[in-house]
Amino acid sequence: MSFEALSIWCIICFGLFQLSLGAVRHYKFDVGYIIRKPDCIQHVVMGINGQFPGPTIKAEVGDTLDIALTNKLPEEGTVIHWHGIRQYGTPWADGTAAISQCAINPGETFHYRFTVDRPGTYFYHGHLGMQRSAGLYGSLIVDLPKGQKEPFHYDGEFNILLSDWWHASTRDQEVGLSSKPFKWINEPQSLLINGRGQYNCSLAASVINTTLPQCKLRGGEECAPYILHVDPNKTYRIRLASSTSLASLNFAIANHKLVVVEADGNYVQPFAVDDIDIYSGESYSVLLTTDQTPNKNYWISVGVRGRKPGTPQGLTILNYKTISASVFPTSPPPITPQWDDYNRSKSFTYKILAAMGNPQPPKYYDRRVQLLNTQNLVDGFTKWSINNVSLSLPTTPYLGSIKFKLNGTFDQKSPPESFSSDYDILNPPKNPNSNIGNGVYMFQMNQVVDVILQNANVLSGKNSEIHPWHLHGHDFWVLGYGEGKFQPSDEAKFNLKNPPLRNTAVIFPYSWTALRFKADNPGVWAFHCHIEPHLHMGMGVVFAEAVQNVRGIPKEALACGRTMKVFMNNNKHN
């Protein structure tokens, strides 16, 4: 080992030693199918320990989580990704099948063991096939160590996990997405708040113009709304996370302002809004002050943004404890903003700036990668591509392939770092055909990388979709957004003073988003659109950095494909 590599490894070890001084928290997760009524309609759901959503994990900064995950699915593998946890020193615990580990086979148990190094609002979800769509998700909350205080005051907190729900099975969805001709299952039937929604009835039927009947719920049903019970004149922290498969959402509480204080586990400059846009993969903390008339209850609404909605609002109630929770609000719920009012969406997004004291980005980058999002055809099958390459993952996880220098397990040719300067992003592609690939973007340790995400028109018609992109293993600085095609002159508009640190960022239609991150976490990391069907259809890339510095990979993580033979031959950890 070189002196530089040894030094890096010592720094990582020392950092993990410092972080692991907290408690070790043990969880036992059994993943299996259960029958539930998430939106009052009986359905097969993927749950954990018989629960849907899965159990909420709570920890403090410095704690080590030891989660023994047993696959009790009858016929398919599984993994779980700990969304927003950076996995310093434990890249095999990131929970990405074919990238950081092998899928956990039916009947097998795999121990996810990692340290949580910063406070924030996170969640976990399946990362194999479309298991997130099937219900494999739950909340993960990391608090400050006891004795330390947040930079804002609150008297209590609520945790809200938002999701969308289809009545068709995920198997039906997968087959349709992979068919020729392409078969789309259309918009979700319901929006769920902590796994609860109502289909074919409305909680607000008596106060809105709708053909749906009034929901007749007593409160004990599986689909009964998750009600927020509050005292008057208090401040509450509401932790919001979106595990939606498709939908971009808007969250609002009637007559109440929301003050945004956290985004993706990072503090932001507080700002007040009437409602909040939240894209798949994002998380926020907002402060709610209960300063309204206490003899009323108020609607909480969740509606679809960014797509022409075919799904009714999700609704629940903010209940002032001074009256019964069974008293429904007499006013209509907040109106979800027009789905294609992108200027409103951008106005909210542009307000998110780093709080004072957050790390600032390096002033200069070492390498720039421009990634063009397009919809394409591969042998007649509809795919999503990045720089004309649609991602198809290999059978041997990249982490093992690169670590052990295994040839032939994935495409050794570097994927394209840019796209043609004359590409017309405003119209359907002149040549719609694309290629399947699984090459890797290789970065050196501590290299500063700029990523320009460029959005474009879809295959046919005049349309460009919203894409929330999520990076594993890192946070990145969002340096800026812009309309049309990115130009070198746009760099002058980058925010290097107080850009927010995020792990998920949106690209708006016909627009670009500029990100900067430091490749300081040895491992192999997914970077992809967090819309489940888009990833399933190839909208993602793979980043690898300083994999030679990774040590201590458990053999259970890579006991498949070509790496299984490596461990069989060595019969020991590396």
Side-chain angles (χ1 to χ4, degrees):
M1 183 187 296
S2 70
F3 177 76
E4 181 186 10
L6 181 61
S7 299
I8 292 168
W9 178 239
C10 288
I11 290 169
I12 292 171
C13 288
F14 181 66
L16 290 174
F17 173 74
Q18 286 184 310
L19 289 172
S20 62
L21 294 178
V24 178
R25 299 177 184 263
H26 298 276
Y27 289 85
K28 187 177 185 298
F29 275 18
D30 290 346
V31 175
Y33 285 112
I34 55 179
I35 297 176
R36 288 290 182 271
K37 296 180 179 179
D39 63 355
C40 305
I41 303 297
Q42 184 169 290
H43 203 281
V44 173
V45 175
M46 194 171 283
I48 296 174
N49 301 344
Q51 298 180 41
F52 167 76
T56 295
I57 294 175
K58 293 212 71 173
E60 294 180 2
V61 171
D63 288 349
T64 296
L65 297 179
D66 188 338
I67 301 153
L69 190 149
T70 300
N71 181 0
K72 295 199 170 181
L73 302 169
E75 297 176 331
E76 58 192 297
T78 192
V79 294
I80 285 184
H81 168 56
W82 316 95
H83 188 108
I85 306 302
R86 293 176 292 186
Q87 301 292 351
Y88 282 122
T90 52
W92 54 84
D94 188 48
T96 46
I99 297 176
S100 63
Q101 70 168 111
C102 302
I104 305 162
N105 290 323
E108 292 182 348
T109 298
F110 180 79
H111 278 261
Y112 288 101
R113 188 179 176 93
F114 54 89
T115 299
V116 289
D117 64 340
R118 60 185 177 149
T121 304
Y122 309 104
F123 64 105
Y124 61 84
H125 60 81
H127 214 291
L128 176 63
M130 298 190 70
Q131 293 183 349
R132 173 157 55 95
S133 296
L136 185 54
Y137 46 75
S139 295
L140 197 169
I141 306 300
V142 182
D143 290 318
L144 285 167
K146 287 181 177 61
Q148 294 187 26
K149 292 184 178 180
E150 300 278 8
F152 41 83
H153 166 78
Y154 55 98
D155 302 298
E157 73 176 49
F158 296 97
N159 185 42
I160 294 181
L161 187 60
L162 304 174
S163 53
D164 43 13
W165 191 250
W166 282 261
H167 292 163
S169 71
T170 51
R171 188 61 54 87
D172 289 341
Q173 295 183 51
E174 287 179 340
V175 172
L177 294 172
S178 305
S179 293
K180 185 170 64 173
F182 175 76
K183 185 174 176 58
W184 179 237
I185 59 162
N186 296 316
E187 304 304 306
Q189 276 66 61
S190 306
L191 300 178
L192 306 183
I193 301 172
N194 284 352
R196 301 176 178 206
Q198 297 79 42
Y199 176 71
N200 264 353
C201 71
S202 172
L203 296 174
S206 63
V207 292
I208 61 174
N209 182 18
T210 179
T211 58
L212 294 174
Q214 179 72 35
C215 294
K216 296 178 180 179
L217 300 170
R218 298 183 304 274
E221 299 90 347
E222 292 175 20
C223 60
Y226 171 83
I227 295 174
L228 276 62
H229 302 282
V230 297
D231 290 308
N233 300 312
K234 299 289 186 182
T235 298
Y236 292 88
R237 179 183 191 171
I238 300 178
R239 296 179 181 268
L240 287 171
S242 175
S243 65
T244 55
S245 175
L246 175 68
S248 303
L249 301 176
N250 180 269
F251 177 91
I253 302 179
N255 292 42
H256 291 75
K257 292 281 188 181
L258 304 172
V259 178
V260 181
V261 293
E262 176 215 345
D264 293 353
N266 295 286
Y267 299 128
V268 299
Q269 294 179 19
F271 63 98
V273 290
D274 294 318
D275 53 77
I276 179 173
D277 282 347
I278 181 168
Y279 302 97
S280 179
E282 291 187 327
S283 65
Y284 291 96
S285 282
V286 297
L287 300 182
L288 165 76
T289 300
T290 52
D291 56 3
Q292 297 300 300
T293 305
N295 60 357
K296 292 182 179 181
N297 288 326
Y298 300 87
W299 289 114
I300 299 174
S301 71
V302 178
V304 173
R305 297 276 276 137
R307 300 180 64 86
K308 190 171 184 179
T311 311
Q313 282 182 323
L315 295 173
T316 187
I317 291 172
L318 181 74
N319 164 237
Y320 277 67
K321 295 179 186 176
T322 44
I323 65 169
S324 169
S326 64
V327 177
F328 275 37
T330 55
S331 299
I335 297 173
T336 300
Q338 177 71 18
W339 70 272
D340 58 354
D341 186 353
Y342 295 117
N343 287 334
R344 199 176 191 282
S345 302
K346 293 171 186 177
S347 176
F348 169 77
T349 301
Y350 298 168
K351 290 177 184 175
I352 303 170
L353 299 170
M356 188 177 295
N358 277 14
Q360 289 189 308
K363 289 184 178 180
Y364 306 102
Y365 66 90
D366 300 311
R367 186 169 164 192
R368 172 169 286 170
V369 178
Q370 294 184 272
L371 302 179
L372 174 69
N373 294 252
T374 56
Q375 195 178 52
N376 299 89
L377 296 174
V378 177
D379 297 329
F381 292 92
T382 303
K383 298 288 185 180
W384 289 97
S385 300
I386 303 302
N387 292 350
N388 213 43
V389 178
S390 184
L391 180 64
S392 179
L393 296 173
T395 55
T396 299
Y398 290 105
L399 183 63
S401 293
I402 299 171
K403 169 67 179 175
F404 302 116
K405 298 180 175 61
L406 303 179
N407 295 323
T409 55
F410 66 91
D411 187 353
Q412 298 298 307
K413 182 181 177 182
S414 298
E417 302 220 351
S418 62
F419 55 94
S420 174
S421 60
D422 61 359
Y423 188 92
D424 181 5
I425 69 165
L426 300 177
N427 290 295
K430 292 180 180 179
N431 178 9
N433 296 310
S434 184
N435 303 294
I436 295 292
N438 55 25
V440 177
Y441 293 90
M442 301 281 192
F443 301 121
Q444 298 174 8
M445 186 67 183
N446 290 322
Q447 198 169 26
V448 177
V449 181
D450 273 13
V451 178
I452 309 298
L453 292 166
Q454 178 69 63
N455 214 342
N457 203 86
V458 296
L459 264 176
S460 60
K462 191 72 174 174
N463 184 35
S464 180
E465 298 187 15
I466 275 181
H467 302 291
W469 272 72
H470 171 59
L471 177 58
H472 293 228
H474 305 78
D475 282 345
F476 46 70
W477 290 276
V478 185
L479 300 185
Y481 305 86
E483 309 293 325
K485 190 187 293 186
F486 178 80
Q487 304 294 336
S489 58
D490 289 322
E491 189 173 343
K493 297 181 280 190
F494 284 178
N495 174 15
L496 298 178
K497 179 182 177 183
N498 55 5
L501 270 171
R502 305 295 302 265
N503 62 57
T504 304
V506 62
I507 331 173
F508 293 107
Y510 303 112
S511 298
W512 56 264
T513 299
L515 316 174
R516 180 169 293 176
F517 74 97
K518 194 171 185 179
D520 58 359
N521 192 4
V524 185
W525 309 104
F527 182 43
H528 61 89
C529 180
H530 208 261
I531 292 174
E532 187 102 300
H534 292 184
L535 174 60
H536 188 74
M537 296 163 65
M539 189 184 283
V541 295
V542 177
F543 291 164
E545 55 204 65
V547 178
Q548 68 276 9
N549 294 340
V550 176
R551 298 288 185 274
I553 303 175
K555 62 182 179 181
E556 294 83 4
L558 300 177
C560 66
R562 293 271 303 278
T563 45
M564 178 175 62
K565 297 178 181 179
V566 172
F567 284 116
M568 287 176 62
N569 292 336
N570 293 342
N571 196 28
K572 63 181 180 180
H573 294 249
N574 285 271

